[in-house]
Amino acid sequence: MQGRPPRTDQGRAAALVGLGETETGKVYGRTARDFAAEAVRRAAADAGLRLADLDGLLVASGLRHDLDLTLANALGLTDLRLLSQVNAFGATAGAMVQYAAEAVLSGAAVAVACVFADAPLRPGKSTGVAYSTDRPLPPGLPGLRAAAGVFGVNTLYALAARRHMEAYGTTSEQLGAIAVQQRAWAVHNPRAQMRDPLTLADHQASRWIAEPLHLLDCCLVSNGGTAVIVTSPERAADLPAAPVYIWGYGQGHPGNRYMRGSDFGLRTGAAAAGPAALAMAGIGLDDIGMLQLYDCYTFTVLVTLEDYGFCKKGEGGDLAASGILGPGGSLPTNTGGGQLSASYLWGMTPLAEAVNQLRGRAEPERLVRDVDFAMVSGNGGILDHHSTLILSGHDRRTAGRP
Amino acid sequence: MTAPAPGPPGAPILRRTPADAPFFDAAARGELLIRGCPACAYALPMDAYACPHPEHPPGADGLGWLPASGRGTLVSWSSVHRAPHPAFAGQVPYTIALVELDEGPWLEARLVGADPAGLRAGLRLRAAFVHPADPADGESFPVFAPDHPTPDHPTPLATGDPAP
Ligand SMILES: [Zn+2]
């Protein structure tokens, strides 16, 4: 999609100058810490930086909390001016990039690495086992839902998706259209875990996990790590790689309460985060040439499209079924296959794909050309937490000037 | 129960804490309690910490318990086919429900006595209680069934009668 030319703006936008991705998927025998260290080293090398040039590190772990500040020691980083763990569940990647951007623009740090890594898969165990929750029930009232069999994210996202279906007539076939279009992208992505072409019939025939969610509505489980380096636009200009600039960001945490009037399943933090990020960037939805949306489930993509305003509330199913998200469509979305078909490294999956695309690093069959702005989402909890990034190859200091 | 009981044996064991002992004591009597503010009788979500009125006392000591009618409507549901915990392996498929109690709070609970294919949001529901046979098997807890008996399930409430 051809966007309008970027507008002149006096503002500075921080820059993503390095991306480091480890081998991802069924990669066994390595810890999250090992993946994280490799990802940071790769990201620094990609940026043309030495590890000693980093003065900030933001660390995010998966559900097992097996990654922490000691990663800095493992990497031999000294005299850091910024070092923290960040956790906003699935919204973490966008939040980390936001905090890193604010740090480098304020001068609190010069070059900040943001890293996520996870290693839930074990050889010989199913992907379901990796995230199954076989721990004891929490005692007291918090244990009530689990005693009922409402246990883990699949059952809760199923309740969210069913509520949307009841309210707006959304169908399983419309959710399936998202899985099919993302797989069509993954076919051209050698790094994707699932590359066989997928039909809507395949989606409908896949086994139920928790109705209305079929197996093919649910994301993969992956081992691996991804890191990015954020620096100031001035520092980025001295580095060899083409920067990707962070024009806008936003978060939304609606705090839906479990009581009458709740928007649970109907409206998410994307409705606040998306417009905030667009306003910061000074652009509109028409300027977005590519979407990289957090897709823990097909439904998450559908409701995010609605909340960002790409269609009216309740019409996300029609938009998905129209086919515009896939290769050749007018709204290229999750162009590497996303978490459904490529790999699941939480919010790093959509972020890394946006960076690679904006730098032209994708196979010709799936490279989306002439994109001025990409919109990247993160989603955490049960649609409780949302982060949005607006990324561009245009330097905001000079964009639109003659 | 009129449907395969979601309670023991096999279910993860539900334990009380001192703070929510009133809830489980009531459940053992077949009565449903909800969180509420004693200063204004405002019903709150089950995870609430404080009444939205700032002048009312917050915290575990500030909130109290209100009797609930045990009646509500179906907000959403799911038939769960892959056991999310090993303890449920012998129960799948089973149906869970998101219930809006008439007093306002939402509860997630097992749905019994209903054909999942015929469910619609807004269906009227009524609480019943699962009572473990042995106290070692944990606390009583609510399940929900359609408020109107069906030919297949003439008596959705087989155990206890919810509080008025
Ligand atoms: Zn009150």
Side-chain angles (χ1 to χ4, degrees), chain A residues 103-131:
Chain A
V104 299
L105 292 181
S106 73
V110 172
V112 180
C114 306
V115 63
F116 169 88
D118 201 9
L121 287 175
R122 294 285 178 272
K125 301 238 178 151
S126 76
T127 54
V129 168
Y131 277 144

Side-chain angles (χ1 to χ4, degrees), chain B residues 37 39-40 51 53 56:
Chain B
C37 174
C40 64
C51 172
H53 300 111
H56 292 166

Side-chain angles (χ1 to χ4, degrees), chain A residues 1-372:
Chain A
M1 185 192 290
Q2 198 85 31
R4 290 198 301 264
R7 296 183 179 83
T8 301
D9 196 290
Q10 303 304 315
R12 295 156 73 227
L16 289 154
V17 289
L19 170 65
E21 298 177 271
T22 71
E23 192 185 357
T24 297
K26 292 177 177 170
V27 183
Y28 301 125
R30 302 181 59 183
T31 63
R33 181 183 170 97
D34 184 28
F35 284 121
E38 182 192 335
V40 172
R41 286 198 304 272
R42 282 176 176 260
D46 181 53
L49 293 168
R50 298 168 302 148
L51 282 180
D53 295 325
L54 299 178
D55 62 354
L57 177 66
L58 298 177
V59 179
S61 76
L63 286 177
R64 284 157 318 110
H65 308 290
D66 46 4
L67 202 57
D68 61 22
L69 301 188
T70 62
L71 179 66
N73 305 98
L75 285 163
L77 301 179
T78 56
D79 299 319
L80 296 181
R81 297 195 291 158
L82 186 76
L83 175 62
S84 285
Q85 283 181 257
V86 178
N87 181 8
F89 300 131
T92 303
M96 284 199 295
V97 168
Q98 171 184 337
Y99 305 144
E102 289 168 347
V104 299
L105 292 181
S106 73
V110 172
V112 180
C114 306
V115 63
F116 169 88
D118 201 9
L121 287 175
R122 294 285 178 272
K125 301 238 178 151
S126 76
T127 54
V129 168
Y131 277 144
S132 83
T133 40
D134 54 359
R135 58 187 183 275
L137 290 196
L141 290 181
L144 272 183
R145 63 156 48 159
V150 185
F151 215 102
V153 290
N154 288 334
T155 54
L156 292 163
Y157 272 90
L159 291 173
R162 175 66 73 190
R163 187 170 197 226
H164 195 279
M165 289 176 162
E166 285 293 290
Y168 302 119
T170 307
T171 67
S172 172
E173 288 81 0
Q174 291 170 336
L175 295 179
I178 292 169
V180 168
Q181 290 170 86
Q182 291 194 198
R183 182 64 63 83
W185 288 112
V187 165
H188 303 298
N189 180 5
R191 301 188 70 234
Q193 286 176 233
M194 307 293 280
R195 296 187 65 196
D196 293 334
L198 187 70
T199 66
L200 191 56
D202 295 331
H203 170 272
Q204 291 292 298
S206 70
R207 62 189 169 89
W208 291 118
I209 299 300
E211 294 183 49
L213 301 177
H214 289 276
L215 176 66
L216 292 175
D217 289 305
C218 307
C219 69
L220 303 164
V221 180
S222 308
N223 290 351
T226 300
V228 293
I229 311 288
V230 178
T231 192
S232 66
E234 294 79 14
R235 183 79 178 96
D238 297 333
L239 296 173
V244 169
Y245 294 92
I246 305 155
W247 279 58
Y249 44 75
Q251 295 184 35
H253 308 270
N256 284 335
R257 306 210 75 186
Y258 248 38
M259 65 185 304
R260 183 173 293 139
S262 172
D263 281 335
F264 173 80
L266 304 180
R267 193 167 181 273
T268 76
L278 290 165
M280 180 178 173
I283 64 168
L285 289 176
D286 288 348
D287 297 307
I288 300 297
M290 182 194 327
L291 289 172
Q292 305 297 344
L293 301 182
Y294 196 101
D295 52 332
C296 48
Y297 298 88
T298 50
F299 174 66
T300 312
V301 173
L302 188 151
V303 74
T304 302
L305 287 166
E306 292 179 352
D307 286 339
Y308 278 172
F310 287 99
C311 60
K312 289 183 191 158
K313 179 49 71 181
E315 297 180 357
D318 290 334
L319 186 151
S322 74
I324 67 170
L325 308 179
S330 59
L331 194 59
T333 298
N334 293 346
T335 52
Q339 300 168 342
L340 296 172
S341 284
S343 61
Y344 178 61
L345 290 183
W346 292 32
M348 283 300 190
T349 296
L351 174 62
E353 177 62 16
V355 171
N356 278 325
Q357 283 276 356
L358 290 169
R359 291 165 130 195
R361 292 185 186 174
E363 289 66 30
E365 300 86 351
R366 65 184 191 89
L367 179 65
V368 186
R369 294 171 178 80
D370 302 320
V371 171
D372 288 319

